[in-house]
Amino acid sequence: MSQLKRIIVVAGARPNFMKIARLVERLKKNRGFECLLVHTGQHYDFVMSEVFFQELRIPKPDVFLNVGSGSHAEQTAKIMTTFEAVLLDEKPDLVVVAGDVNSTLACSLTAAKLHIKVAHIESGLRSFDRTMPEEINRIVTDALSDIYFVSEQSGVENLIREGAAKKSIHLVGSVMIDPVVRMAKAIDRSRILRRLDLKPQNYAVLTLHRPSNVDSAEMLAEIYEILSAVSERIRLVYPIHPRTSDRMQTHDLLNQFTELKDLQMIEPLGYLDFVKLVKDSRFVLTDSGSIQEETTYLHIPCLTMRDNTERPSTVEMGTNKLVGRDKKVITKAVDCILTGKWRPGRVPRYWDGKTTERILDVLANP
Ligand code: UD1
């Protein structure tokens, strides 16, 4: 591949920011590259976006597309039309996208149509569940990418099966682990436990925002039953995603959740506070993607409220177990954790904080 000098790195939604933080910093300091950071504005609140730029010392975006929320088609289309203008102006050699959010799909599609090369960080992951918007984003992005940065072995196998060229696939490990390692001291200095009046190991962390868990009143009712049973056993701390509080309000259920005595609902947290909260927790109950990786690295038990995962290594090697929305399975797993019977798990290859360095090596010698 010819030299990749002018690089646009894209970030749009919360889980993108930690993935590109170090990469942008390193590319901007390296004279061999000209790097522009484009923020699509998919996430725009202080707590969903700005706080990560501050804490992870991400340079101010060079371009802000300001697309905001909307239906999937609306959001994707807005990102595409605004990003196309940026590409036509800047004429980069490469666009780097990360993860599986709508910004990832929209920007890779726009670049590919203009014959600009695309590198995808966290490529090859598959849940094999096309009802998840993220799965569609992953499949389309990988079909259009030229360089694949893969976090775990399953990703390599998926890409090969789908016909990707072997020489374009680079198993570099999980970028999610890089800031956990790099910011370890700042994470340990977080005062979040004191602020929330918590003692290490005396609480569990909850995150829930997937459409498949929170979008209907029936699902939320099932979730309520589960949280009610779990919070009888241990205090649950829940930094609530705006989508979920929206849905609870729409279905007139917010008060019911608020009244659960040992469910502590709080605003979304910044990066340092959130990782500290997870690090000192007894376990995590979640439907997130990336948190499955962070908990495996930190050896914290993780119960994932989904029927599938695109990150099978966290189940096969790590601390993760898929529990769906099955109250029996969940309470049994919680009892097992609370009686100290959970496995500590092993950490997959290259989840060591040096993934960004491996990505840079590939970009410097394409
Ligand atoms: C997106 C990603 C999901 C990721 C999640 C992490 C897609 C398809 N989904 O889901 O993979 O796990 O981010 O947070 O890209 N909102 C705010 N403030 C914001 C952003 C959103 O209030 O800064 C609210 C709006 O009501 C919006 C809703 O959250 O309509 C959903 O936001 P959106 O970006 O569409 O998807 P997420 O559910 O956040």
Side-chain angles (χ1 to χ4, degrees), residues 61-338:
D62 300 284
V63 183
F64 185 62
L65 303 180
N66 199 18
V67 300
S69 304
S71 72
H72 284 259
E74 254 172 346
Q75 193 173 55
T76 307
K78 266 197 214 160
I79 299 171
M80 286 185 72
T81 43
T82 47
F83 190 57
E84 183 177 50
V86 176
L87 292 180
L88 291 172
D89 263 4
E90 300 293 345
K91 303 187 178 49
D93 303 313
L94 180 76
V95 169
V96 178
V97 295
D100 55 17
V101 299
N102 286 345
S103 302
T104 312
L105 161 81
C107 293
S108 49
L109 183 50
T110 312
K113 291 252 180 176
L114 292 173
H115 312 295
I116 296 168
K117 293 203 161 43
V118 175
H120 183 201
I121 297 179
E122 214 174 83
S123 64
L125 296 181
R126 296 288 180 268
S127 66
F128 302 101
D129 173 3
R130 290 197 187 192
T131 64
M132 288 176 74
E134 293 82 2
E135 181 72 353
I136 296 174
N137 294 346
R138 291 181 202 114
I139 293 170
V140 176
T141 301
D142 284 338
L144 301 173
S145 292
D146 301 277
I147 306 176
Y148 306 94
F149 294 119
V150 186
S151 55
E152 62 166 76
Q153 186 56 33
S154 73
V156 173
E157 285 152 25
N158 293 331
L159 288 168
I160 290 174
R161 200 181 45 252
E162 290 172 18
K166 270 192 189 159
K167 63 177 190 333
S168 313
I169 303 174
H170 306 276
L171 180 63
V172 291
S174 165
V175 268
M176 277 321 273
I177 308 306
D178 286 16
V180 179
V181 173
R182 188 162 69 105
M183 311 295 283
K185 283 202 181 122
I187 290 167
D188 287 337
R189 280 196 299 269
S190 153
R191 298 162 71 89
I192 188 66
L193 268 71
R194 198 172 307 169
R195 186 147 75 75
L196 299 177
D197 195 19
L198 298 168
K199 299 241 161 0
Q201 300 293 313
N202 261 352
Y203 65 93
V205 178
L206 171 71
T207 84
L208 274 181
H209 74 280
R210 296 260 163 227
S212 58
N213 274 329
V214 304
D215 272 9
S216 77
E218 292 74 34
M219 289 166 189
L220 284 170
E222 284 177 47
I223 299 275
Y224 176 83
E225 291 301 320
I226 291 165
L227 300 188
S228 168
V230 176
S231 67
E232 272 170 23
R233 290 163 165 80
I234 188 164
R235 186 167 178 189
L236 277 175
V237 182
Y238 183 14
I240 191 161
H241 189 285
R243 152 191 278 284
T244 315
S245 46
D246 253 24
R247 296 303 188 273
M248 286 179 179
Q249 248 152 4
T250 311
H251 299 296
D252 218 4
L253 289 167
L254 194 55
N255 281 345
Q256 201 184 338
F257 279 90
T258 319
E259 279 160 16
L260 276 178
K261 189 168 130 297
D262 277 311
L263 176 68
Q264 189 171 358
M265 298 216 270
I266 57 173
E267 286 283 293
L269 292 173
Y271 182 75
L272 302 174
D273 285 342
F274 184 75
V275 181
K276 172 69 173 170
L277 195 67
V278 168
K279 243 182 165 175
D280 280 349
S281 70
R282 194 70 183 264
F283 66 91
V284 174
L285 185 60
T286 188
D287 60 6
S288 149
S290 314
I291 295 173
Q292 299 171 52
E293 295 187 358
E294 290 164 334
T295 45
T296 277
Y297 177 75
L298 295 168
H299 300 285
I300 301 291
C302 180
L303 304 179
T304 298
M305 294 183 64
R306 289 172 43 190
D307 298 325
N308 53 54
T309 178
E310 59 289 334
R311 293 163 161 90
S313 71
T314 61
V315 174
E316 287 153 15
M317 298 175 68
T319 54
N320 190 19
K321 180 180 166 74
L322 299 177
V323 294
R325 267 198 315 278
D326 188 326
K327 188 169 132 186
K328 255 199 193 149
V329 172
I330 294 173
T331 46
K332 203 168 152 206
V334 168
D335 291 338
C336 175
I337 294 167
L338 295 181

Side-chain angles (χ1 to χ4, degrees), residues 23-85:
L23 180 66
V24 173
E25 185 190 324
R26 294 293 312 271
L27 285 174
K28 280 193 182 264
K29 279 193 187 143
N30 187 321
R31 288 222 204 100
F33 297 106
E34 291 161 27
C35 169
L36 287 183
L37 173 60
V38 173
H39 186 327
T40 64
Q42 175 174 345
H43 285 175
Y44 41 84
D45 288 348
F46 179 82
V47 288
M48 299 297 285
S49 172
E50 176 82 27
V51 65
F52 298 95
F53 279 76
Q54 289 182 3
E55 291 186 349
L56 297 166
R57 297 191 294 268
I58 307 173
K60 205 169 156 326
D62 300 284
V63 183
F64 185 62
L65 303 180
N66 199 18
V67 300
S69 304
S71 72
H72 284 259
E74 254 172 346
Q75 193 173 55
T76 307
K78 266 197 214 160
I79 299 171
M80 286 185 72
T81 43
T82 47
F83 190 57
E84 183 177 50

